[in-house]
Short mmCIF file of all heavy atoms in Angstrom, two decimals:
data_model
loop_
_atom_site.label_atom_id
_atom_site.label_comp_id
_atom_site.label_asym_id
_atom_site.label_seq_id
_atom_site.Cartn_x
_atom_site.Cartn_y
_atom_site.Cartn_z
N GLY A 1 -11.38 -115.23 132.54
CA GLY A 1 -12.45 -114.63 131.75
C GLY A 1 -12.43 -114.98 130.28
O GLY A 1 -13.25 -114.48 129.51
N THR A 2 -11.50 -115.83 129.86
CA THR A 2 -11.46 -116.24 128.46
C THR A 2 -12.15 -117.58 128.29
O THR A 2 -12.28 -118.36 129.23
CB THR A 2 -10.01 -116.34 127.95
OG1 THR A 2 -9.30 -117.31 128.71
CG2 THR A 2 -9.32 -114.98 128.03
N TRP A 3 -12.59 -117.83 127.08
CA TRP A 3 -13.31 -119.08 126.79
C TRP A 3 -12.98 -119.54 125.39
O TRP A 3 -12.33 -118.84 124.62
CB TRP A 3 -14.82 -118.88 126.93
CG TRP A 3 -15.38 -117.92 125.92
CD1 TRP A 3 -15.79 -118.21 124.64
CD2 TRP A 3 -15.56 -116.53 126.09
NE1 TRP A 3 -16.22 -117.07 124.01
CE2 TRP A 3 -16.09 -116.02 124.88
CE3 TRP A 3 -15.34 -115.64 127.14
CZ2 TRP A 3 -16.39 -114.68 124.70
CZ3 TRP A 3 -15.63 -114.30 126.95
CH2 TRP A 3 -16.16 -113.84 125.75
N HIS A 4 -13.49 -120.71 125.06
CA HIS A 4 -13.37 -121.26 123.71
C HIS A 4 -14.67 -121.97 123.40
O HIS A 4 -15.23 -122.64 124.27
CB HIS A 4 -12.20 -122.25 123.64
CG HIS A 4 -11.96 -122.75 122.25
ND1 HIS A 4 -11.17 -122.08 121.36
CD2 HIS A 4 -12.44 -123.82 121.60
CE1 HIS A 4 -11.16 -122.73 120.22
NE2 HIS A 4 -11.92 -123.80 120.34
N GLY A 5 -15.15 -121.81 122.20
CA GLY A 5 -16.33 -122.56 121.78
C GLY A 5 -17.56 -121.70 121.62
O GLY A 5 -17.51 -120.46 121.65
N ASN A 6 -18.68 -122.37 121.48
CA ASN A 6 -19.95 -121.74 121.21
C ASN A 6 -20.60 -121.22 122.49
O ASN A 6 -20.35 -121.73 123.58
CB ASN A 6 -20.90 -122.73 120.54
CG ASN A 6 -20.39 -123.15 119.17
OD1 ASN A 6 -19.84 -122.34 118.44
ND2 ASN A 6 -20.57 -124.41 118.85
N PRO A 7 -21.50 -120.24 122.33
CA PRO A 7 -22.25 -119.77 123.51
C PRO A 7 -23.24 -120.83 123.97
O PRO A 7 -23.61 -121.74 123.21
CB PRO A 7 -22.97 -118.52 123.01
CG PRO A 7 -23.09 -118.70 121.53
CD PRO A 7 -21.89 -119.50 121.12
N LEU A 8 -23.66 -120.70 125.22
CA LEU A 8 -24.70 -121.58 125.75
C LEU A 8 -26.02 -121.29 125.03
O LEU A 8 -26.26 -120.16 124.59
CB LEU A 8 -24.85 -121.37 127.25
CG LEU A 8 -23.60 -121.70 128.08
CD1 LEU A 8 -23.82 -121.29 129.53
CD2 LEU A 8 -23.25 -123.17 127.98
N ASP A 9 -26.85 -122.30 124.95
CA ASP A 9 -28.12 -122.18 124.23
C ASP A 9 -29.20 -121.70 125.19
O ASP A 9 -29.55 -122.39 126.14
CB ASP A 9 -28.50 -123.54 123.65
CG ASP A 9 -29.70 -123.49 122.73
OD1 ASP A 9 -30.54 -122.58 122.88
OD2 ASP A 9 -29.81 -124.38 121.88
N HIS A 10 -29.73 -120.51 124.95
CA HIS A 10 -30.76 -119.93 125.82
C HIS A 10 -32.02 -120.80 125.88
O HIS A 10 -32.71 -120.80 126.89
CB HIS A 10 -31.12 -118.52 125.36
CG HIS A 10 -30.13 -117.49 125.78
ND1 HIS A 10 -30.14 -116.93 127.02
CD2 HIS A 10 -29.07 -116.96 125.12
CE1 HIS A 10 -29.14 -116.06 127.12
NE2 HIS A 10 -28.49 -116.07 125.98
N ASP A 11 -32.33 -121.53 124.82
CA ASP A 11 -33.50 -122.40 124.85
C ASP A 11 -33.34 -123.50 125.89
O ASP A 11 -34.29 -123.89 126.54
CB ASP A 11 -33.75 -123.02 123.47
CG ASP A 11 -34.24 -122.00 122.47
OD1 ASP A 11 -34.81 -120.96 122.90
OD2 ASP A 11 -34.06 -122.23 121.27
N PHE A 12 -32.11 -124.01 126.07
CA PHE A 12 -31.89 -125.05 127.07
C PHE A 12 -32.13 -124.50 128.47
O PHE A 12 -32.62 -125.18 129.34
CB PHE A 12 -30.46 -125.59 126.99
CG PHE A 12 -30.19 -126.48 125.82
CD1 PHE A 12 -28.90 -126.84 125.51
CD2 PHE A 12 -31.21 -126.97 125.02
CE1 PHE A 12 -28.62 -127.68 124.43
CE2 PHE A 12 -30.95 -127.80 123.94
CZ PHE A 12 -29.65 -128.15 123.65
N ASP A 13 -31.76 -123.26 128.72
CA ASP A 13 -31.91 -122.67 130.06
C ASP A 13 -33.39 -122.60 130.45
O ASP A 13 -33.74 -122.77 131.60
CB ASP A 13 -31.28 -121.29 130.11
CG ASP A 13 -31.28 -120.71 131.51
OD1 ASP A 13 -31.04 -121.47 132.46
OD2 ASP A 13 -31.53 -119.52 131.66
N ARG A 14 -34.25 -122.37 129.50
CA ARG A 14 -35.67 -122.21 129.80
C ARG A 14 -36.43 -123.53 129.79
O ARG A 14 -37.36 -123.72 130.55
CB ARG A 14 -36.32 -121.28 128.78
CG ARG A 14 -35.96 -119.84 128.94
CD ARG A 14 -36.82 -118.98 128.05
NE ARG A 14 -36.68 -119.33 126.64
CZ ARG A 14 -35.80 -118.77 125.81
NH1 ARG A 14 -34.97 -117.87 126.26
NH2 ARG A 14 -35.74 -119.12 124.55
N ASP A 15 -36.08 -124.41 128.86
CA ASP A 15 -36.94 -125.55 128.56
C ASP A 15 -36.61 -126.84 129.30
O ASP A 15 -37.51 -127.59 129.65
CB ASP A 15 -36.91 -125.84 127.06
CG ASP A 15 -37.46 -124.70 126.23
OD1 ASP A 15 -38.21 -123.87 126.81
OD2 ASP A 15 -37.13 -124.61 125.05
N ASP A 16 -35.36 -127.14 129.50
CA ASP A 16 -35.02 -128.45 130.03
C ASP A 16 -33.77 -128.38 130.90
O ASP A 16 -32.67 -128.20 130.37
CB ASP A 16 -34.80 -129.41 128.86
CG ASP A 16 -34.61 -130.85 129.31
OD1 ASP A 16 -34.35 -131.09 130.51
OD2 ASP A 16 -34.71 -131.74 128.45
N PRO A 17 -33.93 -128.53 132.20
CA PRO A 17 -32.74 -128.46 133.07
C PRO A 17 -31.65 -129.46 132.70
O PRO A 17 -30.47 -129.15 132.80
CB PRO A 17 -33.30 -128.75 134.46
CG PRO A 17 -34.75 -128.39 134.37
CD PRO A 17 -35.16 -128.68 132.95
N ALA A 18 -32.03 -130.66 132.25
CA ALA A 18 -31.02 -131.66 131.89
C ALA A 18 -30.22 -131.20 130.67
O ALA A 18 -28.99 -131.37 130.62
CB ALA A 18 -31.68 -133.00 131.63
N ASP A 19 -30.89 -130.61 129.69
CA ASP A 19 -30.18 -130.10 128.52
C ASP A 19 -29.30 -128.91 128.89
O ASP A 19 -28.19 -128.77 128.38
CB ASP A 19 -31.17 -129.68 127.43
CG ASP A 19 -31.72 -130.86 126.64
OD1 ASP A 19 -31.15 -131.97 126.73
OD2 ASP A 19 -32.74 -130.68 125.95
N ALA A 20 -29.79 -128.05 129.77
CA ALA A 20 -28.99 -126.91 130.23
C ALA A 20 -27.73 -127.41 130.93
O ALA A 20 -26.64 -126.89 130.71
CB ALA A 20 -29.81 -126.02 131.16
N PHE A 21 -27.87 -128.43 131.76
CA PHE A 21 -26.73 -128.99 132.48
C PHE A 21 -25.71 -129.57 131.49
O PHE A 21 -24.52 -129.29 131.58
CB PHE A 21 -27.21 -130.06 133.46
CG PHE A 21 -26.14 -130.60 134.35
CD1 PHE A 21 -25.60 -129.82 135.35
CD2 PHE A 21 -25.66 -131.89 134.19
CE1 PHE A 21 -24.59 -130.32 136.19
CE2 PHE A 21 -24.67 -132.40 135.01
CZ PHE A 21 -24.13 -131.61 136.01
N ALA A 22 -26.19 -130.35 130.52
CA ALA A 22 -25.30 -130.95 129.53
C ALA A 22 -24.58 -129.88 128.71
O ALA A 22 -23.39 -130.01 128.41
CB ALA A 22 -26.08 -131.89 128.62
N ASP A 23 -25.28 -128.82 128.36
CA ASP A 23 -24.70 -127.73 127.60
C ASP A 23 -23.56 -127.06 128.38
O ASP A 23 -22.49 -126.78 127.84
CB ASP A 23 -25.79 -126.71 127.25
CG ASP A 23 -25.45 -125.81 126.08
OD1 ASP A 23 -24.65 -126.21 125.21
OD2 ASP A 23 -26.01 -124.70 126.03
N VAL A 24 -23.77 -126.84 129.66
CA VAL A 24 -22.74 -126.22 130.51
C VAL A 24 -21.54 -127.15 130.66
O VAL A 24 -20.39 -126.72 130.58
CB VAL A 24 -23.32 -125.82 131.88
CG1 VAL A 24 -22.21 -125.44 132.86
CG2 VAL A 24 -24.30 -124.67 131.72
N VAL A 25 -21.78 -128.44 130.87
CA VAL A 25 -20.68 -129.40 131.02
C VAL A 25 -19.82 -129.42 129.75
O VAL A 25 -18.59 -129.35 129.82
CB VAL A 25 -21.21 -130.81 131.35
CG1 VAL A 25 -20.08 -131.84 131.33
CG2 VAL A 25 -21.90 -130.82 132.71
N ASP A 26 -20.47 -129.50 128.60
CA ASP A 26 -19.73 -129.51 127.33
C ASP A 26 -18.92 -128.22 127.16
O ASP A 26 -17.75 -128.26 126.77
CB ASP A 26 -20.68 -129.66 126.15
CG ASP A 26 -21.22 -131.07 125.98
OD1 ASP A 26 -20.58 -132.02 126.46
OD2 ASP A 26 -22.29 -131.21 125.36
N ALA A 27 -19.55 -127.08 127.42
CA ALA A 27 -18.87 -125.79 127.26
C ALA A 27 -17.71 -125.65 128.24
O ALA A 27 -16.65 -125.12 127.89
CB ALA A 27 -19.86 -124.64 127.43
N ALA A 28 -17.90 -126.12 129.46
CA ALA A 28 -16.84 -126.04 130.47
C ALA A 28 -15.64 -126.87 130.04
O ALA A 28 -14.49 -126.40 130.10
CB ALA A 28 -17.37 -126.52 131.82
N GLN A 29 -15.89 -128.10 129.61
CA GLN A 29 -14.78 -128.94 129.18
C GLN A 29 -14.04 -128.32 128.00
O GLN A 29 -12.82 -128.28 127.98
CB GLN A 29 -15.26 -130.34 128.83
CG GLN A 29 -14.09 -131.25 128.49
CD GLN A 29 -14.50 -132.65 128.12
OE1 GLN A 29 -15.50 -132.85 127.44
NE2 GLN A 29 -13.73 -133.62 128.58
N GLU A 30 -14.77 -127.79 127.04
CA GLU A 30 -14.13 -127.20 125.87
C GLU A 30 -13.26 -126.00 126.26
O GLU A 30 -12.13 -125.87 125.79
CB GLU A 30 -15.17 -126.78 124.83
CG GLU A 30 -14.53 -126.29 123.56
CD GLU A 30 -15.48 -126.15 122.41
OE1 GLU A 30 -16.70 -126.30 122.60
OE2 GLU A 30 -14.99 -125.88 121.30
N SER A 31 -13.76 -125.14 127.14
CA SER A 31 -12.96 -123.99 127.56
C SER A 31 -11.72 -124.42 128.33
O SER A 31 -10.63 -123.89 128.11
CB SER A 31 -13.80 -123.02 128.40
OG SER A 31 -14.67 -122.29 127.56
N VAL A 32 -11.86 -125.37 129.24
CA VAL A 32 -10.69 -125.83 130.00
C VAL A 32 -9.65 -126.45 129.07
O VAL A 32 -8.46 -126.10 129.12
CB VAL A 32 -11.10 -126.83 131.10
CG1 VAL A 32 -9.87 -127.49 131.73
CG2 VAL A 32 -11.92 -126.14 132.18
N VAL A 33 -10.08 -127.34 128.21
CA VAL A 33 -9.15 -128.02 127.31
C VAL A 33 -8.43 -127.03 126.39
O VAL A 33 -7.22 -127.07 126.24
CB VAL A 33 -9.89 -129.10 126.49
CG1 VAL A 33 -9.06 -129.62 125.34
CG2 VAL A 33 -10.31 -130.25 127.41
N GLU A 34 -9.19 -126.13 125.79
CA GLU A 34 -8.61 -125.22 124.80
C GLU A 34 -7.85 -124.05 125.41
O GLU A 34 -6.86 -123.60 124.86
CB GLU A 34 -9.69 -124.72 123.85
CG GLU A 34 -10.28 -125.80 122.98
CD GLU A 34 -9.28 -126.43 122.01
OE1 GLU A 34 -8.30 -125.75 121.61
OE2 GLU A 34 -9.47 -127.60 121.65
N ARG A 35 -8.31 -123.52 126.53
CA ARG A 35 -7.64 -122.37 127.12
C ARG A 35 -6.44 -122.78 127.98
O ARG A 35 -5.48 -122.05 128.10
CB ARG A 35 -8.61 -121.54 127.97
CG ARG A 35 -9.77 -120.94 127.17
CD ARG A 35 -9.35 -120.06 126.01
NE ARG A 35 -8.45 -119.01 126.48
CZ ARG A 35 -7.58 -118.36 125.72
NH1 ARG A 35 -7.47 -118.66 124.46
NH2 ARG A 35 -6.82 -117.42 126.23
N LEU A 36 -6.51 -123.96 128.61
CA LEU A 36 -5.40 -124.41 129.45
C LEU A 36 -4.46 -125.37 128.71
O LEU A 36 -3.45 -125.79 129.25
CB LEU A 36 -5.92 -125.07 130.73
CG LEU A 36 -6.82 -124.21 131.61
CD1 LEU A 36 -7.26 -124.98 132.85
CD2 LEU A 36 -6.16 -122.89 131.99
N TRP A 37 -4.84 -125.76 127.51
CA TRP A 37 -4.06 -126.65 126.66
C TRP A 37 -3.72 -127.96 127.35
O TRP A 37 -2.57 -128.39 127.43
CB TRP A 37 -2.78 -125.96 126.18
CG TRP A 37 -3.06 -125.00 125.09
CD1 TRP A 37 -3.36 -123.69 125.23
CD2 TRP A 37 -3.14 -125.26 123.69
NE1 TRP A 37 -3.61 -123.11 124.02
CE2 TRP A 37 -3.46 -124.06 123.04
CE3 TRP A 37 -2.95 -126.40 122.92
CZ2 TRP A 37 -3.61 -123.97 121.66
CZ3 TRP A 37 -3.10 -126.31 121.55
CH2 TRP A 37 -3.43 -125.10 120.95
N GLN A 38 -4.75 -128.59 127.89
CA GLN A 38 -4.56 -129.90 128.49
C GLN A 38 -5.88 -130.65 128.49
O GLN A 38 -6.95 -130.05 128.49
CB GLN A 38 -4.04 -129.78 129.92
CG GLN A 38 -5.00 -129.10 130.89
CD GLN A 38 -4.36 -128.91 132.24
OE1 GLN A 38 -3.50 -128.06 132.40
NE2 GLN A 38 -4.78 -129.69 133.21
N ALA A 39 -5.78 -131.97 128.44
CA ALA A 39 -6.99 -132.78 128.52
C ALA A 39 -7.57 -132.63 129.92
O ALA A 39 -6.84 -132.53 130.91
CB ALA A 39 -6.66 -134.24 128.25
N TRP A 40 -8.89 -132.58 130.00
CA TRP A 40 -9.57 -132.46 131.29
C TRP A 40 -10.99 -132.96 131.17
O TRP A 40 -11.66 -132.64 130.20
CB TRP A 40 -9.58 -131.03 131.80
CG TRP A 40 -10.30 -130.91 133.11
CD1 TRP A 40 -9.77 -131.19 134.34
CD2 TRP A 40 -11.66 -130.54 133.33
NE1 TRP A 40 -10.74 -131.01 135.31
CE2 TRP A 40 -11.91 -130.61 134.70
CE3 TRP A 40 -12.71 -130.17 132.49
CZ2 TRP A 40 -13.14 -130.33 135.26
CZ3 TRP A 40 -13.95 -129.88 133.04
CH2 TRP A 40 -14.15 -129.96 134.43
N PRO A 41 -11.45 -133.68 132.17
CA PRO A 41 -10.70 -134.29 133.26
C PRO A 41 -10.02 -135.56 132.79
O PRO A 41 -10.40 -136.15 131.78
CB PRO A 41 -11.78 -134.59 134.29
CG PRO A 41 -13.02 -134.82 133.49
CD PRO A 41 -12.90 -133.91 132.30
#
């Protein structure tokens, strides 16, 4: 339940599925890298 980084952008969720996807990928990588202290993937 812990994370690192900025919140997801609500405008991306409504306006552009590709931007929403990219936002989630970036946020996921940042949380994994910073919370688990390892490069991923």
